[in-house]
Amino acid sequence: MTAAWHQVYTPLSGSLALSALAAGCPVFILLIALGVFRAPAWKASLAGLFAAAVCATAVFGMPVRLMLASAGYGAAFGLFPIAWI
């Protein structure tokens, strides 16, 4: 079953700049966790994943089912080359 969801690129008051800042938050959290807090990579990546999930569902209105499917696809896409080697 395909889900009908139309992504809105400017969900925050129609502002592209604010929406881009919101979309960049998971990357900023990942880099801050790695560089400032010296967290292990796996903890920093989980923090980034959690931030991306919250941003996708709360800010951009992505359905939770699609967000979970995207996270699973990303994990499989990232693990496949590692397992291949």
Side-chain angles (χ1 to χ4, degrees):
M1 171 178 14
T2 32
W5 174 62
H6 300 285
Q7 182 177 357
V8 178
Y9 294 107
T10 56
L12 297 176
S13 304
S15 172
L16 185 61
L18 285 176
S19 300
L21 282 175
C25 279
V27 177
F28 297 141
I29 289 174
L30 174 73
L31 293 176
I32 289 171
L34 284 173
V36 176
F37 295 116
R38 310 287 243 174
W42 69 272
K43 288 183 181 179
S45 63
L46 283 179
L49 174 64
F50 180 73
V54 169
C55 182
T57 54
V59 176
F60 288 92
M62 186 177 203
V64 175
R65 185 173 178 183
L66 285 178
M67 183 271 300
L68 292 174
S70 296
Y73 178 78
F77 190 74
L79 288 176
F80 181 73
I82 295 170
W84 184 268
I85 292 172

